Amino acid sequence: MVSNSDKELAEFQEHMPSNVSLDGHKANGQNVLPVSMSQRGLLSDENPRLGKLPLNIPSRLNFLKFGSSGNLTSASAKFQQNTEERDVVSHSIPSSSGQGIQGWFSGSLAKKVAWSSLWKICKEWIKDPLNMALLLWIICVAVSGAILFLVMTGMLNHALPKKSQRDAWFEVNNQILNALFTLMCLYQHPKRFHHLVLLCRWKPKDVSTLRKIYCKNGTYKPHEWTHMMVVVVLLHVNCFAQYTLCGLNWGYKRSERPAIGVGICLSVAVAAPAIAGLYSVISPLGKDYNSEVELKTQDQIPMNGTGYSSNQRLSFEKQFSIAASNKHKSVEYAPVWRGGLFDIWEDIAISYLSLFFSFCVFGWNMERLGFGNMYVHIATFFLFCTAPFWVFNFAAVNIDNETVREVLKLTGLVLCIFGLLYGGFWRIQMRKRFNLPANNSCCGKPAIADFAQWLFCCWCSLAQEVRTADYYDVVEGKLCMKQTDENSQLTLSPLPREDGSAQFRLSQTSLSGNNPGFSRIGIGKFSGPGRFSKDKYSPNRQASEVEGERDADYLMKPPVRPSIQR
C-alpha cells in the first residue's frame, strides 16, 4: 500500500524534466529547474556555516510531510533548525578553563575523602554570608519537616493527646515549610529567568556564562543548548509548581483543601529539580569530552575571508579593544572610598537617588562594576526586602492560634530587615575585588563592619559606593583613574626668588585628600641659573627680551603614567 507521501513523490518526479535529478544536480550538462531562494533553503540540507552535507531521499520525504502535516510539524522543524543554528554558535566559542559545580562535585566524589581538608573546606564555605543563610534555611526546613513527620505518623500523640492540638501543629509546620520553599523559589527565580533569556539570545558571551554554570569544567558539550534548555525549563517548572502549591495552602483551609491538587503540585515541585539535577549529571552536560576533538572542531570553522577563524578573530578584537581602552588610563592600585559614609552633601543628587530609588540604583551600580545583570540584582534585592513580610503574613491567615500568628508576622518583618544584608554582601565583594580600604571598627572584622553599615545606614552605604564607582573607571575588573581635562588643572606659580618659571600642575585628585603628594606634575619653561650665561639674565636687559627667550626655551614634560608602566 502506497502512502500519501510516496504518491506526492511520484507525482513530483513525473512533472520533473528528464535532465534533472531528484537531488537537484545537473544532468546531461544542462541546468536545473529555476528555484527561488526561499524554496532552495527549504529543499537543501546544506548549511552555509556547517559546510556541504550529503543529501538523501528521507530528507525529501520529510520535507513533503512537512508541507502537508500542519502547524505541529512546522513548529518542530523550526525548533530543530533553531537548535542547529545554536549548535553552530557553540562550536565557535572557545571553552573556559573554569570548573563549575558539576566538575567540583564529581571531582570530590572521585577522590578519596580527606576529612582534615574537608573540614577546612567547610569552614571556608560557612564564612560566605549566602552560605550561612542557606544553612539557616536548611535547619529551619529540617526542624519543621521533622515535627510535621512526627505529627503525621502519630509519634507525638502522647505529647499532643487532642486531635485539635495535632491539627494545629500540623497546619503551623505545613505553612512554615510552604513559606520557606516559596521564599527560596522567589529568590532563585530572577536568576533562572536571566538564564532563560541568555539561552534565547545565545550570544558568545552568553554561551561562556552558561557553560560555567551548567557544563562540567565549563567546556563545550555536544548539543549543549538543548540540554541546558531542558534543565532551565525543569527549574522553572519547579518554581511555578511551588507557587501553585502555595496558592492552595493560602486559599483553602485544611478541611477544604483539595488533596489531589496538593499531591500533584507537591510531586511536581519535588520531582522537577531532582530530574534537573540527575539530567545535568547523566546528560552530555556532566560528561568529559576529548579536548583535541573540540579544538579540531573549532578549527574547522570558516575563516570568513580573513585568514583567521571566528574565535581567533574575536580574541584579537577583544585584545585590541582592551588595549585601546587602556591607552590613556592608568590603574589605581590603592583606590579609596569617595568621601566618608555620611558625606551625603558631596553629591546630593546621588544621595537622593539612593534614598528614593535604592533597588534600581543598586542594580545599576552592580552591573557597571561587573557583578552581574542589573535586572537580576534589582529583582533579587527587592524580593529579599519585601517578600518575607507578605509570605509569612499570608501563611498566618489559616492558623487559628493568635500567638503563632503574631510570631509569624514578626518573623517576616525581621527577615525583611535582614534582607539589607544582601547589599552588605556585595559591598564586601566590591571591597575585595578593587582593594578598597577596610573598616576594622567592628572587632577588627571588615566583613562585620560592611554588614553593619548596610544594616543601620543602607542609603549612606549605597551612596558612597555609587560615588566611588563614579570617581573611577572600571576596566577589566580594575579601577582606573579617569582622565581630567588639562584646562581644569590648577597651576602653581613659581616663587619670586626663582630665576625660572616653574609651573606645577596638580590634578584634582591630589586636592581631594586621597593623595598627599603631587599625582601629576608638569614642569614647563624652567631655566636654572647655572644653565645660561650671566648676561642672559642681566639686570640691564629689558623684561620683554627675557620673556621672549623664555618662550623659546625647551619645554620639559614628565612622562605620563601609562608610558612608564609599559
Side-chain angles (χ1 to χ4, degrees):
M1 186 174 181
V2 182
S3 61
N4 294 330
S5 59
D6 295 336
K7 293 181 179 179
E8 294 177 357
L9 182 60
E11 294 176 359
F12 183 68
Q13 292 176 344
E14 290 177 0
H15 291 285
M16 289 176 59
S18 59
N19 59 348
V20 179
S21 61
L22 184 60
D23 57 357
H25 295 287
K26 291 182 180 181
N28 299 327
Q30 298 182 8
N31 295 329
V32 297
L33 286 174
V35 183
S36 64
M37 293 299 295
S38 60
Q39 294 174 346
R40 190 177 302 170
L42 290 174
L43 289 173
S44 176
D45 284 349
E46 181 180 342
N47 192 327
R49 305 178 70 176
L50 286 174
K52 196 167 184 179
L53 298 177
L55 192 63
N56 48 18
I57 298 298
S59 64
R60 291 299 178 191
L61 297 177
N62 290 334
F63 167 71
L64 294 175
K65 293 179 182 179
F66 166 77
S68 60
S69 59
N71 295 330
L72 183 61
T73 308
S74 175
S76 62
K78 289 181 179 179
F79 179 79
Q80 184 177 2
Q81 181 182 3
N82 193 16
T83 303
E84 293 176 355
E85 292 177 355
R86 277 158 170 74
D87 195 46
V88 171
V89 176
S90 300
H91 278 287
S92 64
I93 307 302
S95 300
S96 62
S97 59
Q99 188 174 16
I101 298 176
Q102 297 179 16
W104 175 84
F105 182 74
S106 60
S108 301
L109 292 180
K111 298 177 182 179
K112 186 178 180 180
V113 177
W115 296 106
S116 58
S117 61
L118 183 62
W119 176 248
K120 292 180 181 179
I121 293 174
C122 292
K123 288 200 315 187
E124 292 295 328
W125 182 85
I126 199 63
K127 290 180 180 180
D128 193 331
L130 292 182
N131 294 335
M132 294 174 62
L134 180 61
L135 180 62
L136 180 62
W137 180 85
I138 293 174
I139 292 174
C140 294
V141 169
V143 172
S144 296
I147 295 175
L148 187 64
F149 176 78
L150 294 176
V151 171
M152 292 176 62
T153 55
M155 295 182 182
L156 294 179
N157 289 344
H158 295 288
L160 302 172
K162 296 182 180 179
K163 186 178 183 302
S164 59
Q165 293 177 340
R166 293 193 294 270
D167 292 342
W169 276 89
F170 178 88
E171 187 63 21
V172 168
N173 288 278
N174 178 53
Q175 292 292 347
I176 291 175
L177 284 175
N178 178 59
L180 290 174
F181 280 101
T182 302
L183 284 177
M184 184 57 65
C185 287
L186 287 173
Y187 295 157
Q188 296 293 330
H189 217 167
K191 189 178 294 184
R192 293 174 181 178
F193 265 119
H194 181 235
H195 294 169
L196 183 62
V197 171
L198 296 183
L199 282 171
C200 296
R201 192 171 57 184
W202 201 247
K203 293 182 178 180
K205 187 177 180 180
D206 306 333
V207 178
S208 302
T209 301
L210 292 172
R211 279 180 184 172
K212 294 178 182 178
I213 299 172
Y214 295 103
C215 293
K216 183 178 179 180
N217 300 328
T219 56
Y220 167 78
K221 311 297 179 186
H223 306 289
E224 56 185 357
W225 182 85
T226 305
H227 299 300
M228 289 182 189
M229 182 63 74
V230 171
V231 175
V232 172
V233 168
L234 287 173
L235 294 177
H236 278 278
V237 170
N238 162 247
C239 291
F240 288 116
Q242 178 59 40
Y243 300 154
T244 306
L245 179 62
C246 183
L248 294 176
N249 285 320
W250 291 350
Y252 297 92
K253 293 183 178 180
R254 185 188 176 190
S255 58
E256 302 174 356
R257 198 171 296 152
I260 297 178
V262 171
I264 293 175
C265 293
L266 183 62
S267 302
V268 174
V270 173
I275 296 174
L278 184 63
Y279 184 84
S280 63
V281 174
I282 64 176
S283 68
L285 297 178
K287 297 180 180 179
D288 287 322
Y289 290 90
N290 191 1
S291 59
E292 296 181 358
V293 176
E294 178 188 352
L295 293 175
K296 183 179 178 181
T297 305
Q298 292 178 358
D299 291 338
Q300 292 176 354
I301 301 172
M303 296 299 180
N304 297 326
T306 60
Y308 300 99
S309 61
S310 300
N311 53 343
Q312 291 176 340
R313 182 172 54 84
L314 291 174
S315 178
F316 291 153
E317 290 177 355
K318 183 178 180 181
Q319 292 177 4
F320 283 115
S321 64
I322 294 173
S325 62
N326 292 337
K327 184 177 181 180
H328 301 290
K329 294 180 181 179
S330 58
V331 178
E332 185 67 30
Y333 294 100
V336 294
W337 296 104
R338 184 62 175 173
L341 184 64
F342 300 104
D343 292 340
I344 59 175
W345 298 105
E346 186 168 336
D347 196 329
I348 193 62
I350 290 178
S351 301
Y352 276 122
L353 290 173
S354 301
L355 177 62
F356 295 107
F357 305 97
S358 303
F359 304 116
C360 298
V361 173
F362 176 81
W364 167 73
N365 195 49
M366 287 294 102
E367 183 175 20
R368 66 173 177 165
L369 289 174
F371 288 111
N373 182 264
M374 174 179 66
Y375 301 104
V376 174
H377 278 293
I378 293 174
T380 305
F381 194 20
F382 177 78
L383 291 171
F384 264 105
C385 296
T386 58
F389 176 79
W390 297 106
V391 169
F392 279 93
N393 272 269
F394 281 114
V397 171
N398 291 327
I399 296 177
D400 297 330
N401 194 320
E402 188 66 24
T403 304
V404 177
R405 188 181 303 172
E406 294 299 328
V407 169
L408 286 178
K409 293 180 180 179
L410 183 62
T411 302
L413 183 61
V414 171
L415 288 178
C416 287
I417 296 174
F418 279 99
L420 295 172
L421 298 180
Y422 181 79
F425 170 77
W426 287 108
R427 182 183 178 91
I428 295 173
Q429 306 307 314
M430 178 181 177
R431 174 175 55 80
K432 290 181 178 180
R433 174 179 291 188
F434 301 119
N435 195 27
L436 290 164
N439 186 357
N440 298 317
S441 58
C442 295
C443 305
K445 301 290 185 180
I448 298 178
D450 293 333
F451 281 126
Q453 289 177 3
W454 260 94
L455 191 61
F456 296 105
C457 194
C458 58
W459 299 289
C460 299
S461 300
L462 178 58
Q464 186 187 36
E465 294 171 11
V466 175
R467 289 197 305 267
T468 304
D470 282 340
Y471 188 68
Y472 298 100
D473 282 333
V474 181
V475 179
E476 288 297 309
K478 295 181 181 179
L479 294 181
C480 300
M481 294 298 301
K482 286 187 175 181
Q483 295 298 314
T484 56
D485 190 4
E486 293 291 335
N487 298 326
S488 64
Q489 294 178 347
L490 302 178
T491 303
L492 295 182
S493 300
L495 296 176
R497 65 175 180 269
E498 295 177 348
D499 293 329
S501 175
Q503 295 180 354
F504 297 89
R505 295 176 179 174
L506 294 179
S507 63
Q508 295 179 359
T509 57
S510 61
L511 301 178
S512 61
N514 299 335
N515 189 0
F518 295 156
S519 62
R520 190 178 291 116
I521 301 177
I523 303 176
K525 302 180 182 179
F526 178 82
S527 57
R531 292 182 56 190
F532 303 96
S533 61
K534 293 183 179 180
D535 60 346
K536 185 173 183 179
Y537 290 99
S538 62
N540 297 328
R541 299 187 64 183
Q542 295 182 0
S544 59
E545 296 179 1
V546 176
E547 189 68 22
E549 291 186 2
R550 285 180 179 177
D551 292 338
D553 287 340
Y554 178 72
L555 182 62
M556 298 178 61
K557 293 184 179 180
V560 294
R561 192 178 300 176
S563 63
I564 296 176
Q565 293 176 356
R566 287 198 294 270

